Amino acid sequence: MFDFGVLLYFVTLKTVCHITSGVTKTGIAQLYNGGSENACDVRLRLTKEELTIQKQDVVCVTGSDQGTNRRTVTLHRHPIGGLGLSIKGGAQHKVPVVISKIFKDQPADQTGMLFIGDAVMQVNGINVENATHEEVVHLLRNAGDEVTITVYYFKEAPSFLRLPLGSPDPSSDHSSGASSPLFDSGLHLNGNTPNTAPSSPSSPTATQPKYEKRWTDTISIPLLMARISRFKASAEKLRPNHLRLLALDGVKLWILQFDSAHDSADWLRAISTNINDLTFQNMKMVNKCYSSFDQIIHMGWVNERVHGSDGTQIYKFKFIVLKGSSFYIFKTPPVSTLDWVRAEKMYNLCEVLFKVSKVWPADEIWIQENLYLNCNQTEDLEDQRPYCFSVMVGNGKSHYFSTELGSDLPVWERSFQRAIFMEVQRTGSKTYMGSCQGEIICFTVDFLSGFTCFDSKSKNIIWRFKFSQLKGSSDDGKTRVKLLFLNSDTKQIEMKELEFHDLTAVLHCIHSFIAAKVASMDPMFINSQSISRRYIYNT
């Protein structure tokens, strides 16, 4: 039964979005490389237009070696302290052998050319790029008093090596941590204790090149119409503290992991804010090319629940747009005027019905920590998505969407309200062909006069009622609807039974016109009726 007594939404003429200067921030995360499960440590720098991913690298700041990635360094082994370094990794772990510790005032430190994170390529001219950890340890310990090693900085070092981050000082003596599956080989010991007084350090000569460890820009991801998610691809399950980011071109997917749910939620909000701001600014610019009757009201990425090839329900990214008289669903954003014809679906706004399907408290940190850790992963996938809405369309069909942030849900709710209200005012009336008692009739819903039924051939009016006279309705869920009107003269209820080919479209249209009519008389009533705003902003 379709109940016109409960209006799920109303509208105001206030602008839904606003322009901000964007969020800027920096922080540390782990970046997953392609399909590998190994992640390397990176630094993120967020501006209002892009997210830059930085990786640590060793660069030559002075000298003739600028621009080269390799360094060849000769170490003179000390009788106390050895070479002054430790190593991790090896071919058995599918990573090169890397320097994991450099001890202050020892030979490796005194060169000024070696850094934690350097991968060892050669030892005394012997290639060790594919050597095991034990083979390199044996080679270094038996290489004699003078050891020449060739290294390069391993920017892609997986995070399980637990190499210290962020310090340009090559003499860092941070522990690699007992949680690492790879332990340091203490080459600095060399049969002696490290507490023995070190020899006097020798400073590099002025002619030697000078190296520094720095964060360098590696990847720049433009945020205009980019999409971000906490969920695995085509799945309902959360990755703990992960974010998936894909640029507009859809070529490369970046997966970032953060140390805590708080950091993950904070970055999700920050990146989403900048994406939304850029989308709104782009929307304003594009609207200059369209007439006042064909403006874009709102657009953005959502996740739509669809049926997979095996019959299971999965989620896929969709770009949806409210523009002029239509609601569009795209696989990728429209970037030119010609792209509007390639929409997957397009519906008239007067004939759709927006409904908030599910909304949880507005705390992304709670979702990250509790939904993933405590939620039974075998539950229906609908229950895994905290912010969902449906758009019911003609012939009883509907689209089910979810948003990443709770704050996105009321924006979509109000955008649909505003778009539908504007379309109702612009259209003024909608007429549908139907039948009544076997006769072909035309049924008109008019914003000013209400409901009119007239003969399709003679155009003679059969009956007419105002919106306020509609007192109830019922339908069979297929083609027939009964409308109950109060006759203002007799004060009696009159029942009008009509039949339509697409009953859902007619019912949604009636709902849209009534909602717009009520909102035009009491625009502030929306604030007390918005389901998503009530939960999101009051929690």
Side-chain angles (χ1 to χ4, degrees):
M1 178 180 292
F2 194 92
D3 187 359
F4 293 109
V6 179
L7 297 180
L8 294 179
Y9 59 85
F10 297 86
V11 295
T12 66
L13 293 177
K14 294 182 179 179
T15 302
V16 175
C17 303
H18 61 281
I19 298 178
T20 70
S21 58
V23 179
T24 59
K25 62 182 290 152
T26 59
I28 301 296
Q30 294 176 357
L31 174 68
Y32 281 82
N33 188 10
S36 172
E37 287 300 318
N38 293 334
C40 63
D41 294 300
V42 296
R43 186 170 75 168
L44 306 178
R45 188 178 75 244
L46 178 67
T47 65
K48 66 179 182 180
E49 294 182 346
E50 66 182 11
L51 177 69
T52 301
I53 298 177
Q54 299 177 320
K55 295 181 181 179
Q56 278 192 321
D57 198 1
V58 172
V59 297
C60 181
V61 293
T62 61
S64 60
D65 291 340
Q66 295 186 47
T68 62
N69 295 324
R70 296 189 178 190
R71 283 161 281 132
T72 298
V73 184
T74 299
L75 302 175
H76 297 277
R77 193 188 307 271
H78 284 188
I80 298 175
L83 299 176
L85 56 83
S86 291
I87 61 173
K88 278 185 178 182
Q92 66 269 49
H93 301 289
K94 299 181 180 180
V95 294
V97 170
V98 297
I99 297 175
S100 56
K101 289 183 180 180
I102 294 178
F103 293 87
K104 187 174 178 61
D105 296 332
Q106 295 297 308
D109 176 28
Q110 293 172 5
T111 66
M113 296 177 64
L114 294 176
F115 296 82
I116 294 174
D118 280 339
V120 182
M121 301 175 66
Q122 294 182 0
V123 177
N124 285 347
I126 301 174
N127 189 293
V128 296
E129 291 182 86
N130 297 315
T132 65
H133 183 85
E134 292 74 15
E135 289 171 342
V136 178
V137 169
H138 177 78
L139 190 59
L140 286 172
R141 282 181 172 167
N142 295 279
D145 292 337
E146 187 174 281
V147 183
T148 299
I149 61 174
T150 300
V151 300
Y152 71 94
Y153 190 75
F154 188 28
K155 292 190 293 184
E156 305 294 333
S159 56
F160 66 74
L161 287 177
R162 300 288 184 184
L163 301 177
L165 282 176
S167 174
D169 183 4
S171 62
S172 175
D173 190 15
H174 295 285
S175 171
S176 58
S179 62
S180 171
L182 303 175
F183 293 97
D184 295 286
S185 291
L187 302 181
H188 62 284
L189 296 177
N190 202 30
N192 298 283
T193 63
N195 295 323
T196 308
S199 58
S200 300
S202 58
S203 301
T205 64
T207 59
Q208 287 181 317
K210 181 180 179 181
Y211 293 88
E212 290 183 1
K213 183 187 288 188
R214 294 179 177 177
W215 288 106
T216 59
D217 294 350
T218 305
I219 302 168
S220 292
I221 308 171
L223 296 180
L224 177 61
M225 295 188 184
R227 62 197 198 204
I228 189 168
S229 176
R230 294 165 294 179
F231 292 81
K232 294 182 180 179
S234 299
E236 78 283 3
K237 296 181 181 179
L238 282 168
R239 294 178 67 112
N241 306 336
H242 284 64
L243 297 180
R244 299 170 64 249
L245 183 61
L246 192 68
L248 175 61
D249 58 17
V251 175
K252 180 69 175 177
L253 172 69
W254 291 273
I255 300 177
L256 300 168
Q257 183 179 19
F258 299 87
D259 288 338
S260 67
H262 182 278
D263 288 343
S264 178
D266 193 39
W267 277 96
L268 174 64
R269 286 192 293 266
I271 296 174
S272 296
T273 295
N274 289 7
I275 291 175
N276 292 338
D277 288 346
L278 288 171
T279 300
F280 180 63
Q281 293 175 34
N282 182 67
M283 185 180 73
K284 286 190 62 179
M285 181 181 66
V286 171
N287 275 339
K288 294 179 181 179
C289 302
Y290 296 115
S291 68
S292 58
F293 299 104
D294 203 26
Q295 296 283 292
I296 300 174
I297 303 302
H298 193 53
M299 60 183 181
W301 287 102
V302 293
N303 292 280
E304 182 181 13
R305 189 175 66 189
V306 298
H307 291 285
S309 57
D310 58 354
T312 60
Q313 292 181 330
I314 60 175
Y315 280 88
K316 288 188 176 181
F317 273 109
K318 294 296 173 67
F319 194 85
I320 61 177
V321 184
L322 303 175
K323 178 179 180 290
S325 62
S326 301
F327 163 50
Y328 296 86
I329 302 177
F330 294 91
K331 285 186 178 179
T332 57
V335 295
S336 72
T337 55
L338 299 177
D339 288 339
W340 294 102
V341 299
R342 63 174 178 80
E344 281 189 325
K345 302 288 183 180
M346 182 178 69
Y347 304 100
N348 184 276
L349 282 167
C350 287
E351 298 178 349
V352 302
L353 181 66
F354 178 96
K355 180 181 179 182
V356 174
S357 299
K358 184 174 58 179
V359 54
W360 287 1
D363 188 348
E364 270 73 29
I365 300 175
W366 180 89
I367 293 171
Q368 293 279 15
E369 292 180 338
N370 293 278
L371 179 61
Y372 181 83
L373 295 176
N374 302 327
C375 188
N376 183 355
Q377 294 295 310
T378 62
E379 291 182 5
D380 293 339
L381 55 83
E382 178 180 338
D383 294 332
Q384 300 289 316
R385 302 264 173 169
Y387 310 117
C388 301
F389 66 91
S390 60
V391 181
M392 292 173 278
V393 296
N395 294 312
K397 298 180 180 178
S398 66
H399 294 271
Y400 189 90
F401 302 104
S402 72
T403 64
E404 290 294 332
L405 291 176
S407 56
D408 291 337
L409 194 57
V411 173
W412 278 113
E413 185 181 24
R414 296 191 60 158
S415 296
F416 268 91
Q417 294 159 1
R418 181 167 176 247
I420 292 172
F421 178 55
M422 292 176 64
E423 176 57 16
V424 167
Q425 282 197 318
R426 180 168 51 245
T427 302
S429 65
K430 293 279 288 186
T431 299
Y432 297 90
M433 295 290 293
S435 63
C436 179
Q437 298 178 346
E439 298 294 328
I440 304 300
I441 56 93
C442 291
F443 176 74
T444 297
V445 186
D446 187 274
F447 186 71
L448 296 177
S449 60
F451 307 102
T452 302
C453 181
F454 56 91
D455 185 86
S456 62
K457 295 180 180 179
S458 64
K459 308 302 180 183
N460 293 328
I461 295 176
I462 302 173
W463 49 260
R464 174 178 287 169
F465 294 98
K466 297 178 181 179
F467 288 120
S468 59
Q469 292 178 273
L470 179 63
K471 299 304 178 182
S473 68
S474 64
D475 62 84
D476 63 358
K478 297 178 182 178
T479 61
R480 296 184 179 182
V481 60
K482 295 178 181 179
L483 302 176
L484 304 179
F485 296 102
L486 177 64
N487 188 308
S488 57
D489 295 327
T490 65
K491 307 302 180 183
Q492 299 295 314
I493 296 294
E494 296 184 14
M495 183 184 72
K496 305 299 181 182
E497 186 170 351
L498 304 173
E499 188 170 355
F500 299 96
H501 172 69
D502 188 353
L503 177 62
T504 307
V506 177
L507 296 178
H508 290 172
C509 181
I510 295 174
H511 188 280
S512 297
F513 273 73
I514 294 178
K517 192 71 173 180
V518 174
S520 67
M521 295 183 290
D522 186 10
M524 298 306 295
F525 190 60
I526 180 178
N527 293 327
S528 63
Q529 295 298 304
S530 174
I531 297 175
S532 59
R533 284 174 60 86
R534 190 184 311 158
Y535 280 86
I536 296 298
Y537 296 127
N538 293 335
T539 302

